[in-house]
Amino acid sequence: METARDRTIIPADYPELKQLVWSHDPLRPIPAGEALAIYERNWRFVDEERLTKREADLIRDLAAEFGRGILLKS
């Protein structure tokens, strides 16, 4: 049985995340926790004005699930 922590994210489905994984295949699914770590590690490169509602919701959900509701912006 798959749990929320087993969930994967396809970076190509989220414009800013797709840009952050530029050195990897954006169609390759990554674990949800890794997606949050990528956002946090590279937040300075995220254009918050370009975030779609869907991607903003994803970030909020990932922070709630893996970061105790806190997104660590570097």
Side-chain angles (χ1 to χ4, degrees):
M1 176 182 219
E2 182 176 303
T3 66
R5 293 202 176 258
D6 295 330
R7 181 169 58 124
T8 59
I9 306 295
I10 298 173
D13 292 343
Y14 302 93
E16 291 299 303
L17 183 57
K18 180 180 177 182
Q19 296 299 317
L20 297 178
V21 298
W22 61 270
S23 64
H24 302 299
D25 178 1
L27 295 174
R28 181 184 62 86
I30 59 175
E34 183 180 331
L36 177 62
I38 290 169
Y39 278 118
E40 290 181 330
R41 208 172 34 247
N42 298 288
W43 190 257
R44 66 190 175 278
F45 302 114
V46 173
D47 184 346
E48 292 183 61
E49 292 182 12
R50 285 189 37 181
L51 283 175
T52 63
K53 179 180 178 340
R54 182 172 179 243
E55 189 164 14
D57 289 346
L58 171 70
I59 294 167
R60 185 197 66 237
D61 293 346
L62 291 173
E65 185 176 342
F66 297 99
R68 297 183 187 162
I70 300 169
L71 175 67
L72 301 176
K73 299 178 181 182
S74 56

